[in-house]
Amino acid sequence: MYRTHNNGALRLQNIGETVTLSGWVQKTRNKGFMVWVDLRDRYGITQLIFDEERSSKEAMTMASELGREYVIQVTGTVIERESKNPNIATGDIELLVSELQVLNSSLTPPFTIEDDTDGGEDLRMKYRYLDIRRKPVRQNLIFRHKVAMAVRNYLSAKNFVEIETPYLIKSTPEGARDFVVPSRMNAGQFYALPQSPQTFKQLLMVGGMDKYFQIVKCFRDEDLRADRQPEFTQIDCEMAFVEQEDILQAFEGLTRHLLKEINGVEIGAFPRMTYDEAMKKYGNDKPDIRFGMEFGELNEVAQHKDFNVFNQAELVVGIAVPGGNQFTRKEIDELTEWVKRPQVGALGMVYCRYNDDGSLKSSVDKFYDQNDLIQWAKQTGAVPGDLICVLSGDTAKVRSQLSALRMELAQRMGLRKPTVFAPLWVVDFPLLEWDEDTKRYHAMHHPFTSPKPGQMELLKTHPGEVKANAYDLVLNGNEIGGGSIRIHDKEIQSKMFDYLGFTPQEAKAQFGFLMDAFQYGAPPHGGIAFGLDRLVAILGGQETIRDFIAFPKNNAGRDVMIDAPATIHQEQLNELHLKLNLSEN
Ligand code: ASP
C-alpha cells in the first residue's frame, strides 16, 4: 500500500499511530543531525522529520540526498511538533520517519512549486503539469469541478437530461469560423467541429427530450483576442414548450443557486434591461452595474451654443465620476490621453469639475456658463465633488468610447469588487446586425432565433429595427450566458435564411435536416448557453479564464506544452487527400 493517509489528513489525535505517506518533496532542511522534509500532495503538506537518534542511518543518508519534487514513500510514527505551524492543517504534528523509499527522482523544476512562483506564464504553460502541482492552480481546477457538479446536480434535479451531441458535424453558424477535420474515407470532404451544439439541441426538442443540457466543448476559430480560447466549454441548455419568461426563470434559478452554493451570496430577482436601454445608459450590451456612472445625454443642453465640436456631433454624452474632482490636472490630462488611444479612439475629452461650493468649472468655459453646466450636472447626476467627463461624436462609437472610459475609471477606483455580484438580464436584442464588410445584415445571435411576435413584416421594411426573442445573462460586466426562443416553423425558418442572404439551395444544403425536422411536429422551444470558463472565473473572483482551464492554449492559440498545432506527415496528408499550398507564407 502506497499510503494510509494523504498529506492533509494527520492531526493531534493521530499521535502515536504508525502511518505511511506518499507524495512530492516540497522542500528539505538539513541540519546534519536532523533533516526535515515537507511532503506534498493534492491534499496538503505534512512535515517529515529524520533524526540521528531515532531514524535509521540509511534513511538519514537518503533523506539528506532528496531533491525538490522527488516522489517518495515514508513510514513512521506521528508525533507532536515542538514548534507548531498554524498556517497548515497538519501543523500540530510531524512524522518521525523510520523507512524511506524513493519512488522516483525528479529534475530540478524550471520554476518554484510555490503559491507565488518565479515562473513566467510561458514557462508555466510549457510545464503545466508542474504548474498544476501549485496550490492556486489546483484549487482553481477543483473549484471548476465544484461549479460543474453544482450545475449538474441542480439541472438534473429539475428534470434536465445531459445528452452528448457529436463533435464531428457540419457547420453551425455562431458567427465565427469553423475548425474543420478532413475525412479520410470521404475524399475532399470535411467535418466541422461544433461552434455550439445549437442545431442538435433543437433536434433533441423535436425528439421530445424537452429539457436538455450538456457541459460541452465548443470550437471557434476566431481572431486572437485577449483571454479567448479556441476551444471552450459551454453549459448548453434547451427546453421545449417554453416562452422567453420560462427560460429566464429557469436559468435565473440556476445562477442564483450557483451564487448561493458556491459563493454563499443570496440574490433576489435579477434586474432586466432592454438592449436599447443598456446601450443608452451604459454604452454596452453587458453593463457592469456594480457601480453607477450612468450615461447622461447632453445634446439638448450642450448643442446650439458656439462649441462646434458638440454641435456637429450626433451624440454628446457624459458620466459623473464620483469624487472625481479630486483628480489633478495631470490625472485628467492622462485620462484624456487614455481615451485618445487608438484602442478607444476618442478625439478628445471635455470635462467639468463640480466644486464643493457648488460652482462648476469646465474645460470649455468659453462656451458654457454656470447655468449650462448645472444642466450637465443634472443630466449626468453629478453632485459637488464629482468630475463630469464628456465625449461626443457618432452615437455608436461615442457610446463604446464612454463605456470603455467608465470601465477604466471603475477599475482604477476599485469599484469592480470581485466579491460583489450583480447579475442582470439584457433582453430584446436586435434580430439583425449590419455588417459593413459584407454590406449585409447578419443574425446578431444566430439564424435560428425568432423575431418578437408580429415583427416578421417589419423585416421587409426596417430590418435593423426588428427585435428578437433573445436575451443575455450578464454578470459583473461579462456576458455569461445568451440564448433565444427559436423559430420552429419551417416556413419562417426558410424565410429567415432568405433574409440573411442564403439561396434556397444553400439553406437546404446546410440546414435542410433542421427544416425537414420542423415538418414532423417541432414543439415551440428555446434555450441558452453559459460560458463555463468565464462563469467559473467570475465566481472564483478572478479575471482570466486560462487560470481555470487545466491545459489552456496561449493567446496565439497554441498549446506550448504539446506544441500544437503542428505539421503532419506526408503520408497522413496523402491519406486525407490533402495537398498543402503554403506558397503565400
Ligand atoms: N448556441 C448559442 C451560443 O452558443 C446559445 C443558444 O442560443 O442557446 O451562443
Side-chain angles (χ1 to χ4, degrees):
M1 184 162 45
Y2 280 112
R3 52 185 176 181
T4 56
H5 296 75
N6 65 49
N7 289 313
L10 297 172
R11 300 285 185 276
L12 281 177
Q13 62 261 32
N14 300 102
I15 282 178
E17 290 176 22
T18 301
V19 303
T20 300
L21 302 177
S22 291
W24 287 265
V25 173
Q26 173 85 25
K27 64 172 185 229
T28 56
R29 258 180 312 138
N30 190 343
K31 289 245 162 131
F33 58 96
M34 265 194 202
V35 181
W36 287 272
V37 174
D38 278 356
L39 188 65
R40 185 196 67 237
D41 63 13
R42 203 186 113 183
Y43 306 93
I45 286 184
T46 301
Q47 177 165 289
L48 313 177
I49 176 168
F50 300 78
D51 84 29
E52 257 175 0
E53 285 166 24
R54 295 176 288 178
S55 307
S56 72
K57 198 160 175 72
E58 192 197 348
M60 274 305 275
T61 321
M62 277 166 74
S64 55
E65 285 166 3
L66 290 174
R68 268 162 55 201
E69 301 307 311
Y70 274 43
V71 186
I72 62 171
Q73 181 189 24
V74 289
T75 298
T77 314
V78 183
I79 60 174
E80 185 167 359
R81 270 210 219 185
E82 265 172 35
S83 55
K84 305 211 165 30
N85 179 355
N87 297 324
I88 58 172
T90 62
D92 287 343
I93 58 96
E94 58 193 346
L95 189 72
L96 177 64
V97 178
S98 48
E99 275 170 56
L100 161 68
Q101 205 183 335
V102 174
L103 300 177
N104 211 341
S105 62
S106 170
L107 296 176
T108 305
F111 50 85
T112 52
I113 314 286
E114 304 275 353
D115 291 6
D116 280 319
T117 177
D118 56 0
E121 174 92 5
D122 289 349
L123 202 58
R124 292 197 293 112
M125 289 306 148
K126 177 141 192 242
Y127 298 92
R128 183 64 162 173
Y129 45 90
L130 296 179
D131 202 26
I132 291 172
R133 288 187 194 162
R134 295 172 50 238
K135 193 163 153 200
V137 182
R138 179 170 78 232
Q139 276 177 337
N140 282 353
L141 295 181
I142 296 170
F143 183 80
R144 181 187 179 109
H145 161 76
K146 264 200 194 155
V147 175
M149 286 308 288
V151 169
R152 288 202 160 97
N153 291 337
Y154 180 87
L155 291 177
S156 179
K158 299 268 178 203
N159 243 339
F160 283 79
V161 183
E162 182 162 23
I163 303 174
E164 291 170 78
T165 51
Y167 282 157
L168 296 175
I169 65 165
K170 221 154 81 169
S171 175
T172 301
E174 295 278 3
R177 274 192 203 90
D178 290 320
F179 281 102
V180 296
V181 180
S183 166
R184 178 180 56 84
M185 292 194 289
N186 303 275
Q189 296 191 331
F190 295 79
Y191 299 101
L193 299 180
Q195 293 186 36
S196 84
Q198 185 61 36
T199 47
F200 286 95
K201 66 175 172 175
Q202 293 191 237
L203 292 171
L204 286 171
M205 295 306 110
V206 182
M209 302 301 291
D210 64 355
K211 287 175 158 191
Y212 143 94
F213 85 103
Q214 183 182 192
I215 295 187
V216 61
K217 272 289 173 71
C218 300
F219 306 85
R220 294 184 190 177
D221 188 3
E222 282 177 302
D223 289 337
L224 307 179
R225 263 207 261 166
D227 211 28
R228 278 279 176 122
Q229 291 282 314
E231 56 176 299
F232 59 97
T233 307
Q234 282 190 345
I235 309 165
D236 189 45
C237 312
E238 195 78 2
M239 299 168 84
F241 304 112
V242 286
E243 291 169 344
Q244 173 165 309
E245 188 58 32
D246 302 303
I247 302 268
L248 299 194
Q249 292 294 342
F251 294 98
E252 185 165 322
L254 170 65
T255 312
R256 197 177 290 122
H257 173 77
L258 294 177
L259 284 165
K260 171 123 194 282
E261 182 94 354
I262 306 289
N263 298 86
V265 196
E266 299 222 29
I267 292 189
F270 295 2
R272 295 182 190 181
M273 196 181 285
T274 63
Y275 170 88
D276 288 344
E277 196 184 345
M279 296 308 286
K280 199 173 159 75
K281 277 194 181 162
Y282 300 97
N284 197 314
D285 61 1
K286 44 179 186 336
D288 191 339
I289 55 166
R290 282 175 295 182
F291 53 92
M293 287 197 257
E294 285 178 23
F295 288 13
E297 298 194 348
L298 304 177
N299 285 26
E300 275 180 28
V301 297
Q303 288 184 326
H304 316 300
K305 306 279 163 169
D306 289 332
F307 187 42
N308 267 336
V309 176
F310 282 0
N311 290 345
Q312 284 159 10
E314 194 181 358
L315 179 68
V316 183
V317 59
I319 48 173
V321 185
N325 192 25
Q326 301 270 353
F327 292 171
T328 61
R329 175 64 200 265
K330 198 168 149 233
E331 282 170 323
I332 298 176
D333 286 347
E334 202 258 316
L335 270 186
T336 309
E337 286 313 309
W338 191 89
V339 294
K340 282 160 79 177
R341 297 177 334 150
Q343 298 94 315
V344 183
L347 291 176
M349 182 177 91
V350 166
Y351 67 88
C352 174
R353 291 179 176 282
Y354 203 161
N355 296 316
D356 288 336
D357 65 6
S359 65
L360 291 126
K361 173 112 194 68
S362 84
S363 56
V364 282
D365 265 356
K366 252 206 299 194
F367 307 107
Y368 299 97
D369 62 23
Q370 287 294 301
N371 285 336
D372 295 325
L373 299 179
I374 283 285
Q375 293 306 317
W376 293 20
K378 224 166 142 189
Q379 293 301 112
T380 55
V383 294
D386 289 356
L387 177 78
I388 305 172
C389 297
V390 184
L391 301 182
S392 62
D394 166 75
T395 301
K397 278 193 193 142
V398 82
R399 279 180 174 164
S400 106
Q401 292 158 357
L402 192 62
S403 166
L405 177 64
R406 176 178 177 270
M407 293 300 271
E408 175 68 16
L409 283 163
Q411 191 70 33
R412 292 187 191 187
M413 297 165 72
L415 300 175
R416 305 194 66 196
K417 297 199 175 71
T419 49
V420 176
F421 295 97
L424 158 83
W425 286 108
V426 178
V427 298
D428 299 354
F429 273 81
L431 183 71
L432 304 170
E433 184 173 41
W434 180 253
D435 183 35
E436 260 310 311
D437 293 342
T438 53
K439 300 267 181 258
R440 270 230 316 249
Y441 278 107
H442 283 269
M444 189 156 183
H445 188 45
H446 50 54
F448 315 109
T449 295
S450 69
K452 287 261 167 217
Q455 300 218 330
M456 246 354 233
E457 282 307 303
L458 201 58
L459 210 47
K460 286 186 205 138
T461 50
H462 298 85
E465 285 172 25
V466 178
K467 296 287 189 255
N469 265 326
Y471 32 80
D472 273 0
L473 184 56
V474 174
L475 183 57
N476 296 359
N478 295 279
E479 179 208 323
I480 56 160
S484 61
I485 296 298
R486 327 297 184 191
I487 297 166
H488 64 278
D489 176 286
K490 182 186 170 189
E491 292 317 314
I492 299 182
Q493 185 65 72
S494 61
K495 258 193 205 145
M496 186 61 65
F497 284 132
D498 185 33
Y499 286 126
L500 294 173
F502 288 76
T503 65
Q505 293 76 7
E506 282 167 348
K508 189 162 185 344
Q510 263 196 67
F511 302 111
F513 64 94
L514 188 66
M515 289 190 287
D516 285 349
F518 284 175
Q519 292 176 295
Y520 293 92
H525 61 286
I528 190 168
F530 291 80
L532 180 68
D533 310 280
R534 173 78 50 209
L535 177 64
V536 168
I538 297 172
L539 296 180
Q542 294 178 36
E543 293 276 318
T544 356
I545 67 172
R546 262 205 302 277
D547 295 344
F548 290 86
I549 297 174
F551 299 105
K553 305 220 168 7
N554 71 9
N555 276 344
R558 295 199 70 82
D559 183 324
V560 293
M561 181 181 67
I562 60 172
D563 194 22
T567 50
I568 56 175
H569 289 297
Q570 187 59 47
E571 300 92 86
Q572 256 177 312
L573 285 172
N574 296 344
E575 266 177 0
L576 295 169
H577 324 280
L578 295 179
K579 224 190 213 121
L580 293 184
N581 177 4
L582 298 175
S583 51
E584 279 171 28
N585 303 329

